[in-house]
């Protein structure tokens, strides 16, 4: 017995418990490719860790380091004058002309999220490496590397702290004085590196705008008035050995333990503030470094863990018994992709989505971008910006329901900024005097104009002014989950109203007397007219109208909650009933286009016509069964093979159709193993899925699929609106027994449940602010009324 205990203790000590983990990503080798790295972040600073033995590369990002400067929203002041001619062409069914003219309603493209730099630790202890181990523990947001050389065990521990705004790397060796290494700093941007007072310092500037090849022109360094500055400061605290330095490196010789402090900052001070004149980087980085350097490793670590767990621990999930073997995460994913059961991997993926949001979304006005905040590229895919026709919104689908409401605030901050630039966009591009509009892309400068480089690019994606309508629904979601009336009153409602005002001004009457948008596009699909024209510009696209329905519906609800603006509410109510109604096509599908035209690509990744089913909620199997059935048919026609984010969306759509098994089938496909983009193998595994580090593969890496997939897990377990909570609405057969704690529901409730043999056993509902809701499980309903802070437990 004693022996057994010892064996067990050894396993625990090595961090390699045999039950496969719900909270650890681990590997037996360092990362070679970006999609194998382990990422850390505090919502502002991001670190991408390779964990190499001889050279450990760490990419550093600051979420506020972007190319460009505050946008001049008035960039195409007469663009709106083209709208009547486009409408006329559309009225005459001259789609080719309308498409051409639509290009005149374009502005500049978005700016790009910039990589700050790379920190490299060059290890002086060379030799034969054994027992290599690398992990990221998402229960405490700490990554670790360990290995042995000639009998000496080396360990590294990495975390990025939010309370202390610092990255910490603790290096240690099991043998006294066996640790020696050097650190260097470099950047793909303009930079200068110096070592001063044993601090390795790098200063530089982001490019003023994205240009071909993304070259940062040297003269920008000397133009004081332009561009965001950045700084990175690195200092080492040693217990023994000596600190060494050259003019470009900092190191330690013959130590047993050393702690590396990494502080970064930028001069970004707001979307409308010149980052060169009014902001500084180095003094902020210095001040954070000095404060943190005075604290011990243990103190920093416990503050970091407490801060992170405050969010992480709010939700737990258990999916019942599993027989999957314990494997490194890359092998585990491969095994799962072969169809094997691994419930704890599914939990890990869900919690990893939450981990990524906590780590990337804590900077007001600067939400998680296309790659969260982990970007090593000068010229990242799609500029790593905010694409508003799905991607940035999908990033936030899990924020409220998985109990991370605070992480939603950065997006709500961007919406507020967009309402400022968007007022100019509404007037100058669309001729609408009231309200605000945003278009296909945005960036840290809250750019709201339609993109396309002033007429150079395809209207299929560049010309789409409905982002304000879509984004405004996030404000309602934040309110309806948190019941934060002050936020709605003081800030949220006016933003919603502004988005609705633009829509009111943008709608026109069609030949049947109904209201439609014109011009319209349906992100980013194209139609084929009966005479063979393939285009994007049309009138009355279903997606536009679905977003307007949601925007109006939620704005009406918000005005009722606040008991204000009765006249405006009346106008929205009147307009809602005049919108061109949904059409069911000859194939039984929900029509995407005004007419029952063919799609250029019937399997297209976007499904904006289903917006009302998810993320909206005006289509449901109970309220609108015909439209729900047509939505199902649409999804069937599209098939399940698609990009990462699109799979994430479809899983949520199937969940909303209460088809748990189909949702689960697609969830498994979202977790299909995908090789790193640059890895050369005979039979590369590509397509939408998941990379070895559990990053979502569009491909390339986009974080939206991670967030959409995690949100869908919650959506399969709990669905809600302001009046009701549906329990286990889309439970797949594979999740026969399990329990969940802390899922949030609209109305300000928190739900925990246990189920067995696919049957609900117990449910507990906690009310944040007091209120009434109806619990629905299958055919059974139960009304509950709770006081603020009250919790009710029911044996169902
Ligand atoms: C939209 C999508 C693409 C890609 C890009 C970032 O334009 O259609 O698939 O995800 O955003």
């Amino acid at each position: 017995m004693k022996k057994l205990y010892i064996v067990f203790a050894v396993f625990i000590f090595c961090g390699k418990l045999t039950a496969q983990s719900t909270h650890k990503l681990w590997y037996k080798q360092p990362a070679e490719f970006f999609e194998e790295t382990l990422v850390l972040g505090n919502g502002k600073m991001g670190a991408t860790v390779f964990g190499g033995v001889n050279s450990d590369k760490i990419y550093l990002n600051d979420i506020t380091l972007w190319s460009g400067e505050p946008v001049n929203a008035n960039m195409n002041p007469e663009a709106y004058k083209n709208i009547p001619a486009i409408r006329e062409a559309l009225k005459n069914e001259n789609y080719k002309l309308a498409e051409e003219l639509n290009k005149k309603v374009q502005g500049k493209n978005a700016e790009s999220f910039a990589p700050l730099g790379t920190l490299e630790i060059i290890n002086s202890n060379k030799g034969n490496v054994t027992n290599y181990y690398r992990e990221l523990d998402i229960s405490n947001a700490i990554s670790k590397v360990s290995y042995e050389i000639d009998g000496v065990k080396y360990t590294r521990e990495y975390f990025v702290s939010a309370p202390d705004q610092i990255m910490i790397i603790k290096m240690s060796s099991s043998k006294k004085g066996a640790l020696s290494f050097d650190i260097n700093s470099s950047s793909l941007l303009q930079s200068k590196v110096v070592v001063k007072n044993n601090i390795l310092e790098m200063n530089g500037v982001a490019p003023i705008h994205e240009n071909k090849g993304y070259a940062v022109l040297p003269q920008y360094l000397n133009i004081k008035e332009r561009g965001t500055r950045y700084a990175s400061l690195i200092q080492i605290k040693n217990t023994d050995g000596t600190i060494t330095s050259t003019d470009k490196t900092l190191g330690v010789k013959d130590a047993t333990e050393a702690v590396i402090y990494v502080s970064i900052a930028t001069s970004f001070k707001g979307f409308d503030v010149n980052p060169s004149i009014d902001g500084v980087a180095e003094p902020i980085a210095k001040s954070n470094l000095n404060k943190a350097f005075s604290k011990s490793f243990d103190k920093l670590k416990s503050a970091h863990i407490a801060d992170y767990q405050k969010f992480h621990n709010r939700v737990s999930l258990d999916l019942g018994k599993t027989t999957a073997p314990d494997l490194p995460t890359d092998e585990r994913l491969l095994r799962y992709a072969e169809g094997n059961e691994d419930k704890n991997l599914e939990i890990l993926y869900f919690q990893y989505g939450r981990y990524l949001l906590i780590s990337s979304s804590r900077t007001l006005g600067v939400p998680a971008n296309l790659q969260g905040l982990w970007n090593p590229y000068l010229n990242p895919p799609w500029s790593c910006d905010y694409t508003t026709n799905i991607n940035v919104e999908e990033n936030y689908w899990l924020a409220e329901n998985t109990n991370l409401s605070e992480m939603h605030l950065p997006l709500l901050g961007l919406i507020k900024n967009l309402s400022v630039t968007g007022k100019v966009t509404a007037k100058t591009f669309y001729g609408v005097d009231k309200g605000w509009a945003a278009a296909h892309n945005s960036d840290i400068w809250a750019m709201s104009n339609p993109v396309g480089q002033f007429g150079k690019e395809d209207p299929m994606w560049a010309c789409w002014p409905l982002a304000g309508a879509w984004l405004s629904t996030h404000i309602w979601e934040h309110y309806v989950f948190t019941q934060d009336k002050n936020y709605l009153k003081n800030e949220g409602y006016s933003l919603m109203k502004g988005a609705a005002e633009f829509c009111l001004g943008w709608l026109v009457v069609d030949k049947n007397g109904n209201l439609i948008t014109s011009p319209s596009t349906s992100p980013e699909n194209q139609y084929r007219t009966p005479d063979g024209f393939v285009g994007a510009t049309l009138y009355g696209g279903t997606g536009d109208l679905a977003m307007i329905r949601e925007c109006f519906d939620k704005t009406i609800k918000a005005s009722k909650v606040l008991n204000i603006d009765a006249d405006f509410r009346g106008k929205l109510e009147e307009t809602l009933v005049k919108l061109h109604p949904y059409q069911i096509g000859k194939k039984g599908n929900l029509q995407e286009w005004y007419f029952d035209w063919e799609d250029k690509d019937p399997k297209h990744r976007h499904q904006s016509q289903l917006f009302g089913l998810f993320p909206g909620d005006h289509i449901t199997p109970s309220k609108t069964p015909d439209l729900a059935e047509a939505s199902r048919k649409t999804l069937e026609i599209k098939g399940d093979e698609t990009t990462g984010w699109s799979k994430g969306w479809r899983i949520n759509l199937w969940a909303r159709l209460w088809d748990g098994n189909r949702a689960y089938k697609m969830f498994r496909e979202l977790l299909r193993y995908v090789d790193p983009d640059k890895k050369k193998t005979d039979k590369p595994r590509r397509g939408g899925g998941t990379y070895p580090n559990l990053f979502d593969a569009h491909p390339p890496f986009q974080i939206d699929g991670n967030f959409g997939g995690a949100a869908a897990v919650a959506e399969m377990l709990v669905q809600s609106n302001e009046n009701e909570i549906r329990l286990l609405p889309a439970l797949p057969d594979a999740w026969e027994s399990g329990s969940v704690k802390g899922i949030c529901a609209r109305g300000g409730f928190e739900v925990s449940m246990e189920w067995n043999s696919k049957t609900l056993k117990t449910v507990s509902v906690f009310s944040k602010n007091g209120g009434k809701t109806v619990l629905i499980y299958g055919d059974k309903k139960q009304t509950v009324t709770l006081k603020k802070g009250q919790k009710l437990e029911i044996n169902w």
Side-chain angles (χ1 to χ4, degrees):
M1 194 62 190
K2 202 171 165 193
K3 248 189 194 163
L4 249 181
Y5 276 132
I6 292 170
V7 171
F8 191 60
V10 167
F11 267 122
I12 295 177
F13 184 71
C14 298
K16 291 176 196 174
L17 261 177
T18 43
Q20 72 285 45
S21 179
T22 55
H23 60 272
K24 274 187 186 173
L25 290 81
W26 67 275
Y27 306 83
K28 290 195 282 196
Q29 69 286 333
E32 193 184 340
F33 301 98
F34 175 54
E35 299 86 351
E36 294 170 341
T37 57
L38 294 172
V39 294
L40 301 162
N42 62 7
K44 182 161 190 294
M45 177 183 193
T48 300
V49 183
F50 279 74
V53 172
N54 292 329
S55 148
D56 190 0
K57 256 191 314 185
I58 301 169
Y59 296 146
L60 298 175
N61 281 108
D62 183 308
I63 203 160
T64 62
L65 188 64
W66 287 64
S67 66
E69 57 194 347
V71 65
N72 170 18
N74 194 20
M75 65 186 71
N76 193 348
E78 307 217 321
Y80 72 97
K81 292 190 173 161
N82 294 291
I83 300 290
I86 306 173
R87 286 186 173 154
E88 189 58 24
L90 286 169
K91 213 177 223 166
N92 298 330
E93 319 291 339
N94 190 343
Y95 297 102
K96 194 163 183 282
L97 177 62
E99 184 93 338
E100 265 321 299
L101 293 174
N102 212 1
K103 288 192 183 165
K104 297 192 178 192
V105 190
Q106 292 185 352
K108 74 185 277 284
N109 281 356
E111 296 293 340
S112 197
F113 178 51
L116 188 141
T118 302
L119 175 170
E120 190 185 13
I121 305 170
I122 311 267
N123 196 357
S124 314
N125 313 102
K126 306 274 186 288
N128 188 26
V129 178
T130 53
N131 290 332
Y132 181 90
Y133 177 76
R134 175 170 68 106
E135 72 167 34
L136 168 65
D137 186 343
I138 62 166
S139 72
N140 59 15
I142 291 177
S143 177
K144 280 183 192 158
V145 163
S146 61
Y147 55 87
E148 284 170 31
I149 295 179
D150 299 334
V152 181
K153 183 168 179 184
Y154 293 91
T155 49
R156 295 180 204 153
E157 208 172 337
Y158 318 72
F159 60 89
V160 178
S161 156
D164 288 291
Q165 291 294 311
I166 198 91
M167 179 178 191
I168 296 293
I169 309 164
K170 182 178 174 183
M171 316 274 291
S172 36
S173 64
S174 62
K175 189 175 147 202
K176 201 166 166 33
L179 184 70
S180 299
F181 61 87
D182 291 305
I183 304 174
N184 65 61
S185 255
S186 60
S187 176
L188 298 170
L189 307 177
Q190 276 292 340
S191 67
K192 275 190 189 141
V193 179
V194 286
V195 177
K196 264 195 287 183
N197 306 323
N198 278 348
I199 296 177
L200 176 61
E201 180 167 343
M202 180 167 71
N203 285 293
V205 61
I208 204 64
H209 66 90
E210 185 188 359
N211 47 22
K212 208 163 175 267
Y214 213 97
V216 186
L217 305 179
Q219 65 264 34
Y220 289 136
L221 261 186
N222 305 322
I223 302 176
K224 288 218 172 47
E225 327 63 68
R226 305 188 71 184
T228 302
R229 313 284 137 156
Y230 67 89
S232 128
L233 301 179
I234 300 169
Q235 197 172 358
I236 305 174
K237 199 187 261 183
N238 57 326
T239 40
D240 55 354
T242 44
I243 301 279
T244 62
S245 67
T246 68
D247 58 345
K248 296 245 177 313
T249 64
L250 188 67
V252 155
K253 213 172 149 22
D254 303 331
T256 315
E257 194 181 289
V259 180
I260 305 169
Y261 292 67
V262 186
S263 176
I264 62 173
T266 79
S267 64
F268 176 77
K269 271 192 90 180
F271 79 104
D272 54 355
V273 179
N274 186 321
S276 190
I277 296 177
D278 297 315
V280 288
E282 199 265 355
I284 300 172
K286 190 71 190 287
S287 152
N288 287 337
L289 179 67
N290 287 348
K291 278 188 230 155
F293 204 76
S294 67
K295 299 184 186 177
S296 70
F297 173 81
D298 288 343
K299 196 163 176 205
L300 292 164
K301 182 175 167 181
S302 53
H304 161 68
I305 294 175
D307 169 78
Y308 172 76
Q309 290 186 340
K310 190 170 74 199
F311 304 108
H312 172 81
N313 293 359
R314 289 175 184 169
V315 172
S316 62
L317 177 63
D318 179 353
L319 294 175
K321 232 176 90 196
T322 165
T323 53
D326 191 25
L327 290 172
T329 307
D330 43 355
E331 293 172 36
R332 188 176 180 186
L333 198 59
L334 270 169
R335 179 187 168 276
Y336 184 78
E338 283 159 11
N340 295 305
E341 177 273 313
D342 193 344
K343 295 197 183 81
N344 285 0
L345 177 64
E346 292 164 353
I347 297 171
L348 176 66
Y349 187 87
F350 167 70
Q351 291 288 16
Y352 187 55
R354 297 185 67 246
Y355 167 81
L356 292 173
L357 195 71
I358 302 168
S359 307
S360 63
S361 187
R362 295 178 79 173
T363 304
L364 210 60
V366 193
N369 58 48
L370 199 63
Q371 294 178 187
L373 85 167
W374 299 280
N375 167 43
Y377 308 115
L378 264 180
N379 200 355
W382 293 285
S383 300
C384 201
D385 62 23
Y386 303 123
T387 303
T388 50
N389 67 16
I390 173 69
N391 315 85
V392 74
E393 291 94 344
E394 184 165 344
N395 280 4
Y396 286 88
W397 286 348
L398 78 165
E400 299 291 345
N401 60 356
T402 77
N403 218 329
L404 297 174
S405 190
E406 296 89 337
M407 278 71 217
H408 207 173
L409 300 178
L411 179 69
L412 304 186
L414 176 67
I415 297 172
K416 187 177 175 189
N417 300 344
L418 281 168
S419 76
V420 178
T421 58
K423 269 198 180 77
V424 183
T425 294
K427 269 200 190 101
T428 54
F429 282 92
Y430 303 108
V432 176
D433 287 335
K434 278 192 172 165
W436 62 276
H440 172 267
N441 285 110
S442 189
D443 53 25
I444 196 167
W445 314 109
M447 186 199 93
S448 55
N449 55 278
V451 292
Q453 299 289 41
F454 298 92
K456 292 206 185 78
E457 291 169 11
D458 202 317
M460 125 169 100
W461 52 271
C463 300
W464 178 76
L466 266 293
W470 185 334
L471 286 166
S472 73
T473 64
H474 280 257
I475 294 166
W476 173 253
E477 290 288 88
H478 182 66
Y479 163 74
V480 80
F481 274 97
T482 59
Q483 301 289 298
D484 184 350
K485 238 188 213 176
N486 281 338
Y487 164 74
L488 192 66
K489 188 170 160 212
N490 300 333
E491 192 163 311
Y493 177 73
S494 69
L495 304 175
M496 294 177 79
K497 183 175 177 182
E501 281 176 324
F502 170 75
C503 296
L504 279 177
W506 183 235
L507 288 164
V508 291
V509 181
D510 77 354
K511 49 186 176 282
N512 303 318
N514 293 324
L515 291 173
I516 54 165
T517 51
S518 176
S520 167
T521 55
S522 187
E524 305 177 16
N525 204 356
Q526 290 174 301
Y527 54 74
R528 193 185 293 278
T529 63
D531 59 6
F533 177 70
V534 172
T537 308
L538 80 157
Y539 53 83
T542 308
D544 281 5
L545 297 175
M547 288 161 207
I548 293 174
R549 280 190 176 90
E550 285 294 329
C551 169
F552 285 6
D553 177 49
K554 285 7 186 209
T555 309
I556 291 168
K557 285 177 175 152
S559 83
K560 282 188 187 159
V561 166
L562 299 174
N563 198 16
I564 53 170
D565 249 355
D567 290 350
F568 184 67
R569 186 193 318 148
K571 209 161 168 191
L572 294 180
E573 282 164 344
E574 266 165 40
T575 311
L576 255 184
V577 291
K578 288 193 203 144
L579 292 180
H580 170 64
Y582 279 105
Q583 305 291 315
I584 297 179
K586 53 184 175 296
K587 295 176 187 151
N589 58 309
L590 199 71
Q591 262 176 228
E592 179 161 9
W593 318 108
Y594 187 90
F595 299 105
D596 196 3
W597 289 338
E598 295 294 323
D599 297 340
K600 182 189 171 213
D601 173 8
K603 308 264 175 211
H604 197 270
R605 60 194 182 281
H606 282 263
Q607 44 261 333
S608 310
Q609 69 271 42
L610 305 188
F611 186 86
L613 177 64
F614 187 90
D617 67 357
H618 63 265
I619 298 179
T620 76
S622 60
K623 267 192 315 200
T624 56
D626 293 349
L627 297 181
E629 187 45 40
S631 304
R632 172 187 295 273
K633 189 72 200 166
T634 304
L635 286 172
E636 292 289 4
I637 294 170
K638 281 186 174 283
D640 296 347
E641 200 39 60
T642 187
T643 60
W645 64 257
S646 176
K647 281 177 196 275
W649 191 353
R650 289 187 196 172
I651 303 166
N652 282 284
L653 286 163
W654 282 111
R656 282 281 173 95
L657 290 170
W658 303 336
D659 190 336
N661 285 339
R662 188 63 173 264
Y664 179 72
K665 171 187 175 276
M666 286 206 73
F667 179 69
R668 286 199 69 108
E669 287 166 8
L670 180 65
L671 269 71
R672 184 173 58 198
Y673 181 98
V674 173
D675 280 314
D677 291 349
K678 291 186 185 137
K679 185 168 177 169
K680 294 209 168 62
T681 61
D682 290 345
K683 279 195 200 140
R685 286 159 286 225
R686 305 274 183 236
T690 298
Y691 292 114
N693 64 354
L694 300 191
F695 266 176
D696 167 62
H698 176 290
F701 163 50
Q702 282 187 198
I703 207 156
D704 38 22
N706 284 102
F707 293 141
V713 171
E715 203 62 35
M716 285 154 83
L717 302 175
V718 177
Q719 290 172 20
S720 62
N721 62 32
E722 58 275 26
N723 303 313
E724 57 188 42
I725 302 173
R726 218 167 260 277
L727 307 168
L728 302 177
L731 187 69
D733 292 343
W735 296 348
E736 205 191 346
S737 301
S739 64
V740 68
K741 281 199 188 108
I743 296 290
C744 290
R746 292 169 186 82
F749 298 99
E750 236 177 80
V751 178
S752 301
M753 291 180 290
E754 246 183 80
W755 65 96
N756 234 317
S757 312
K758 284 209 74 190
T759 311
L760 181 65
K761 293 292 171 207
T762 61
V763 54
S764 105
V765 188
F766 169 80
S767 170
K768 291 177 196 161
N769 278 295
K772 187 172 144 187
T773 190
V774 179
L775 299 178
I776 306 177
Y777 174 64
D779 298 336
K780 274 172 72 183
K781 290 187 180 186
Q782 183 169 336
T783 303
V784 295
T785 308
L786 297 177
K787 294 204 186 80
K788 184 180 170 134
Q790 197 185 346
K791 188 169 169 182
L792 181 73
E793 308 215 0
I794 305 170
N795 285 324
W796 200 270

